[in-house]
Amino acid sequence: MNEFYLGDARQGLQRLAEQGRRVQLCYLDPPYLTGRDFGAYCDRFPSDEDYYAMMRAVLQGVYEVLDARGSLFLHIDWRTHARLRLLLEEIFGAEGFRNEIVWCYRSGGRAQTHFSRKHDTLLFFAKSRGAYFDAMQDPLPRAEVRSNHMKRGVDEDGRAYRAIRSGGRLYRYFDDEGVPASDVWTDIPHLHQRDPERTGYPTQKPLRLLERIVRCASREGDVVLDAFAGSGTALEAAFRLGRTFIGMDCAPESLATVQRRLPDAPLRVIRL
């Protein structure tokens, strides 16, 4: 049974820990310390220190409920990236760091006093060296990846390839074989205002982004947690890909959005 905890993520995580629950993957898209009121939720805090105290408690709570082979993806931007990276290293240990993923996108508006900020950062931390991860669960088409001036050819079966000779050997790379993504993601567009995927919930992330994370860092049957569920994108990705999800959010609008997006998902609602 999928679950949604309506209330403070810190309380929800504490309840999971008390019950001895474990999750294999956690994705977090927390407030960004923007100082704005988005209607569905407010991204204002009495001080920066109040924000980081909240995030410390949430990240510590996530660490407690992660399975030994589990991992965390923290989705943030330039405002909080530096301090949250240090906080994660404190909680997970420096050895827990796996990637700093840059998600680049095109959107409107250009800055006049600095280079335009057109990327988010996802910090990928694993709880142990044995944490599950398989980038080939969501490969990129080889034809879209830089070929380094390789020679193009077609084999006897009609398969297109690129070839390079090195050390006296000929290496062939077929166009129809995928390659793992790097830590710079430029192939997933930002959701535009009239995108049919939009739910109306603010700061919604594209489903394709979460599908990559869920596919590569969890397996069918695993439990995926999103403690700032928001528009429910991570929960939909988990459900569509055969995982069980646990969502948490203090906004009733978040729960309503998840229920609209996933009418077929068995869902137990816990009010904190």
Side-chain angles (χ1 to χ4, degrees), residues 14-205:
Q14 182 179 359
R15 182 170 296 190
L16 291 182
E18 290 171 349
Q19 296 172 354
R21 307 277 294 280
R22 292 292 180 267
V23 304
Q24 285 70 49
L25 170 63
C26 178
Y27 168 82
L28 296 177
D29 184 16
Y32 284 14
L33 205 58
T34 64
R36 296 174 59 189
D37 187 340
F38 290 94
Y41 71 94
C42 185
D43 191 1
R44 291 176 182 162
F45 292 81
S47 69
D48 288 3
E49 295 311 312
D50 286 292
Y51 170 82
Y52 287 109
M54 180 274 293
M55 287 302 300
R56 174 185 289 275
V58 169
L59 293 173
Q60 186 65 55
V62 168
Y63 183 83
E64 296 299 326
V65 301
L66 270 182
D67 182 78
R69 299 193 68 197
S71 56
L72 163 70
F73 285 75
L74 177 62
H75 192 147
I76 49 179
D77 70 3
W78 56 273
R79 297 175 182 87
T80 62
H81 165 254
R83 288 187 63 173
L84 289 179
R85 165 77 183 266
L86 293 175
L87 186 54
L88 281 169
E89 290 191 2
E90 180 182 331
I91 295 172
F92 282 76
E95 66 279 4
F97 173 76
R98 289 288 182 89
N99 278 118
E100 181 175 295
I101 299 163
V102 178
W103 172 41
C104 303
Y105 46 78
R106 295 180 181 180
S107 59
R110 289 294 182 267
Q112 299 298 317
T113 59
H114 54 79
F115 293 112
S116 297
R117 298 170 179 133
K118 300 297 179 182
H119 79 273
D120 288 355
T121 302
L122 293 100
L123 296 174
F124 171 21
F125 275 75
K127 193 167 183 177
S128 72
R129 289 186 177 181
Y132 174 78
F133 179 76
D134 183 1
M136 287 304 292
Q137 291 300 314
D138 191 61
L140 296 176
R142 185 175 294 278
E144 296 180 9
V145 179
R146 186 175 154 202
S147 59
N148 295 321
H149 309 292
M150 295 182 185
K151 292 184 178 180
R152 298 188 62 88
V154 179
D155 72 1
E156 56 278 8
D157 296 322
R159 295 178 68 197
Y161 66 83
R162 301 166 195 231
I164 187 170
R165 188 174 294 279
S166 178
R169 295 184 59 187
L170 181 67
Y171 296 88
R172 286 184 177 181
Y173 301 95
F174 289 92
D175 288 357
D176 58 3
E177 293 177 342
V179 294
S182 73
D183 60 359
V184 178
W185 297 355
T186 59
D187 60 311
I188 301 174
H190 195 272
L191 289 181
H192 298 287
Q193 290 300 321
R194 295 188 178 181
D195 195 299
E197 191 178 311
R198 279 201 173 274
T199 63
Y201 201 94
T203 67
Q204 180 182 346
K205 302 304 184 293

